[in-house]
Amino acid sequence: MRIRSLGVIDDAVVELSPGFTAVTGETGAGKTMVVTSLGLLLGGRADPALVRIGAKAAVVEGRIVMRPDAPAAVRAEEAGAELDDGALLISRTVSAEGRSRAHVGGRSVPVGLLGELADDLVAVHGQTDQQGLLRPARQRQALDRYAGDAVAVPLEKYGSAYRRLRAVAVELEEITTRARERAQEADLLRFGLDEIAAVEPVAGEDTELAAEAERLGHAESLASAAQLAHAALAGNPEDPEAIDANMLVAGAHRALESVRSHDPALGALAERIGELGILLSDVAGELAGYADDLDADPLRLAAVEERRSALTQLTRKYGSEGTVDAVLEWAEQGAARLLELDGDDERITELTAERDGLRDELSLLAQALTDARVEAATRFASAVTAELASLAMPHARVTIDVRQAEDPDGVDVDGRPVAYGPSGADEVELLLAPHPGAQPRPIAKGASGGELSRVMLAVEVVFAGSDPVPTYLFDEVDAGVGGKAAVEVGRRLAKLAKSAQVVVVTHLPQVAAFADRQLLVEKTNDGSVTRSGVTVLEGEARIRELSRMLAGHEDSVSARAHAEELLAAARADG
């Protein structure tokens, strides 16, 4: 992974080993930027404040080796990306103005695609996840995630029934509590529909009447214009010597007819003039008919205006667009709504029966969901307890309490009040008994800081074992752990790295000593510019960094001896 202009990092290359990679460094050196960079490659939120001061944009590029048939590879290819020698190249650019761009396999893609790929590539576990797991709601989500289809399938059935029950309950409440308002609405609809029915409007009628009124109101001028036009085309009977258009065209046609045999081009023009004469005659005839048929009846004009007035009253009340068509549309919708309102009593009966049936069904589905969670909780608690034995808590015991929450307003088929929610009726709580004889208590109350970190790490490791992803990132999940427990944490992470790639950001030398590769994020200052870089530590350099982590400075003789001892013990353990 290459990081450029992100926070304190100017330009750095992070090479992650196939096994266990530990990322270490002083507080504030920029270790968080390594995690942030990976988050950007996984579709995380782009914050322009992360762009290094003076730079136009921050760029993170990653090269991820994967099989061509891996789910992420298949999804990337569907988006038009291509693998490069068995690796998928991903880049994310964040500008100082806040714009973000993503590229996968040489193809520009929506940032959302990175999030889709992340689900099959990397599982990120950090202190934020730990704090979230202290909340019962998150503990229920964690249990469901661990259980997989065993809970997901009944949860989907339950969710469908729950959503339908909520919709039925809302509709039933609306009908029963708003009966008076609905009755008033029905009366208004009946009045409007009766008023429209009395007028009996026809679609498009207003447009036709407007045109007719315009024609009747100007009948004299229209007739006069038609007569004058007819006289110009076909002649005036009162003036036989007057020249008209037909006479002129006929003369032109005769003139060309006499010589058309001498030139085909002129003959073609003669034919066109002949067609023109025919057209003039047709138009003249239509003008004569128009003038004869024009109705200047004032009684008809009055009837048209009266009808238009009646339609206008309707369009003002019921036509949102001021047209008869809009009035008819309102009437259609109003009739359907009135039918719905008039059927309230029947609808109430139907909804009540459906609600009661759904309540019975929901109770059975909720119990099936509870049973599935109880079974998964037993397995989950056993797995976490086993992990704690590997984390220097051999006598600790984790249990998961799954119980249905009670609600006075919710009664199931057994007469027991149950609170149904979108995810079922269950309350899930993670309990810890840190030593024999101790009563199990909620982890937020019954665990010390170090115990809590180990419990949460155990939970994360169990998740890591069930998540089908090749890479796991643990961001300082070992906070509050020290001494022998820290050694056990490192040993457990190293064991996990036998089957997956593990990246750990840590302050603990006991954890870092177990890593196959250690990366140092180090800040430098030349007096004017502060920047951080990433270095692969080997041999003497790694011993110096472990010494610094142990004693606060790298030249301590006793710290060096301890660092060498840690490395030797980790190698012997591996």
Side-chain angles (χ1 to χ4, degrees):
M1 182 169 62
R2 185 178 183 186
I3 309 167
R4 286 181 289 172
S5 302
L6 186 69
V8 294
I9 297 180
D10 183 24
D11 192 343
V13 175
V14 180
E15 298 180 8
L16 304 177
S17 69
F20 180 3
T21 299
V23 181
T24 65
E26 290 278 8
T27 300
K31 297 188 299 299
T32 302
M33 289 298 102
V34 176
V35 178
T36 301
S37 298
L38 188 57
L40 288 173
L41 287 183
L42 301 179
R45 187 177 68 89
D47 184 356
L50 296 174
V51 179
R52 185 174 173 82
I53 297 176
K56 294 182 178 179
V59 181
V60 182
E61 299 167 309
R63 183 175 185 272
I64 305 175
V65 179
M66 63 180 66
R67 301 188 318 274
D69 60 346
V74 174
R75 180 66 186 92
E77 289 180 353
E78 290 175 353
E82 296 181 358
L83 293 182
D84 180 16
D85 193 22
L88 186 65
L89 303 181
I90 299 178
S91 70
R92 181 84 179 274
T93 302
V94 180
S95 72
E97 291 78 21
R99 293 187 300 272
S100 174
R101 298 193 307 272
H103 290 79
V104 176
R107 185 72 174 265
S108 178
V109 298
V111 173
L113 177 65
L114 300 184
E116 295 179 30
L117 299 179
D119 293 337
D120 297 313
L121 293 176
V122 181
V124 180
H125 306 287
Q127 292 187 24
T128 302
D129 303 296
Q130 287 188 356
Q131 295 303 315
L133 280 172
L134 294 177
R135 298 195 297 270
R138 285 292 301 276
Q139 291 175 19
R140 186 193 65 236
Q141 294 171 6
L143 177 61
D144 291 353
R145 171 184 159 198
Y146 173 81
D149 289 343
V151 166
V153 172
L155 180 58
E156 182 177 358
K157 294 179 181 178
Y158 171 90
S160 178
Y162 177 81
R163 289 188 293 273
R164 178 56 190 162
L165 177 59
R166 292 295 300 165
V168 169
V170 168
E171 185 178 354
L172 187 59
E173 182 179 3
E174 179 187 1
I175 293 176
T176 54
T177 59
R178 296 184 55 199
R180 183 175 180 179
E181 291 87 344
R182 292 168 71 89
Q184 291 175 344
E185 182 184 356
D187 288 342
L188 289 174
L189 286 173
R190 286 193 189 92
F191 178 83
L193 291 171
D194 290 344
E195 194 172 13
I196 293 172
V199 178
E200 296 183 342
V202 178
E205 183 182 5
D206 51 344
T207 303
E208 295 176 0
L209 289 175
E212 185 177 359
E214 185 73 14
R215 185 169 63 253
L216 291 172
H218 299 82
E220 293 183 3
S221 59
L222 291 174
S224 175
Q227 291 168 356
L228 288 174
H230 177 269
L233 295 180
N236 188 347
E238 298 178 359
D239 186 7
E241 297 183 359
I243 298 175
D244 57 67
N246 264 332
M247 293 175 58
L248 295 174
V249 171
H253 186 260
R254 287 193 300 272
L256 295 181
E257 277 292 322
S258 62
V259 294
R260 64 179 299 172
S261 59
H262 302 305
D263 187 352
L266 203 59
L269 292 175
E271 291 180 1
R272 292 171 62 186
I273 292 177
E275 295 171 356
L276 181 59
I278 296 171
L279 180 61
L280 287 174
S281 297
D282 290 344
V283 173
E286 292 182 14
L287 286 170
Y290 177 85
D292 293 339
D293 295 340
L294 190 62
D295 186 4
D297 184 2
L299 294 179
R300 173 57 186 167
L301 178 60
V304 169
E305 293 294 353
E306 183 178 356
R307 179 65 177 173
R308 291 184 68 197
S309 176
L311 294 176
T312 299
Q313 292 182 31
L314 292 182
T315 57
R316 286 174 178 172
K317 291 183 179 180
Y318 311 109
S320 58
E321 299 176 2
T323 64
V324 169
D325 289 350
V327 171
L328 294 173
E329 182 179 355
W330 182 93
E332 181 180 357
Q333 295 174 352
R337 176 61 175 165
L338 182 60
L339 186 63
E340 177 185 338
L341 293 173
D342 286 342
D344 275 0
D345 291 341
E346 182 180 349
R347 184 59 178 159
I348 287 174
T349 302
E350 293 176 353
L351 289 173
T352 301
E354 185 179 3
R355 180 199 62 190
D356 294 343
L358 284 169
R359 282 178 172 175
D360 293 343
E361 180 186 359
L362 199 68
S363 176
L364 296 175
L365 291 173
Q367 188 59 52
L369 186 57
T370 299
D371 294 342
R373 282 176 171 148
V374 168
E375 190 279 330
T378 301
R379 293 187 288 111
F380 188 32
S382 297
V384 174
T385 299
E387 285 298 331
L388 287 177
S390 301
L391 294 172
M393 293 180 67
H395 303 298
R397 182 169 57 91
V398 168
T399 56
I400 299 179
D401 183 22
V402 180
R403 60 187 179 277
Q404 290 190 336
E406 295 188 359
D407 181 359
D409 296 328
V411 181
D412 73 358
V413 292
D414 297 325
R416 181 167 48 89
V418 174
Y420 297 115
S423 300
D426 300 320
E427 291 180 342
V428 176
E429 194 164 32
L430 193 63
L431 307 175
L432 172 67
H435 51 80
Q439 289 297 319
R441 299 183 62 193
I443 56 173
K445 301 176 181 178
S448 65
E451 289 172 338
L452 180 60
S453 291
R454 279 178 281 173
V455 170
M456 290 306 180
L457 179 57
V459 170
E460 299 294 353
V461 170
V462 170
F463 278 150
S466 61
D467 281 344
V469 294
T471 300
Y472 304 97
L473 171 64
F474 294 93
D475 182 17
E476 298 189 8
V477 295
D478 49 16
V481 178
K484 181 180 178 181
V487 173
E488 296 301 330
V489 169
R491 180 177 289 115
R492 187 60 191 88
L493 290 171
K495 183 179 178 181
L496 178 62
K498 299 293 184 183
S499 58
Q501 183 184 43
V502 176
V503 181
V504 179
V505 178
T506 182
H507 287 286
L508 295 179
Q510 297 95 326
V511 172
F514 279 90
D516 299 306
R517 170 177 290 187
Q518 185 171 348
L519 303 179
L520 172 64
V521 181
E522 191 173 22
K523 183 184 295 185
T524 60
N525 191 326
D526 61 6
S528 59
V529 178
T530 300
R531 55 171 55 90
S532 290
V534 181
T535 306
V536 178
L537 299 179
E538 296 178 348
E540 176 64 21
R542 188 173 185 185
I543 293 175
R544 286 174 60 83
E545 170 62 8
L546 290 175
S547 299
R548 180 198 64 77
M549 297 172 72
L550 284 163
H553 61 90
E554 56 271 20
D555 295 325
S556 168
V557 176
S558 59
R560 284 179 57 85
H562 192 184
E564 292 172 351
E565 183 182 356
L566 278 177
L567 285 173
R571 294 191 185 100
D573 188 80

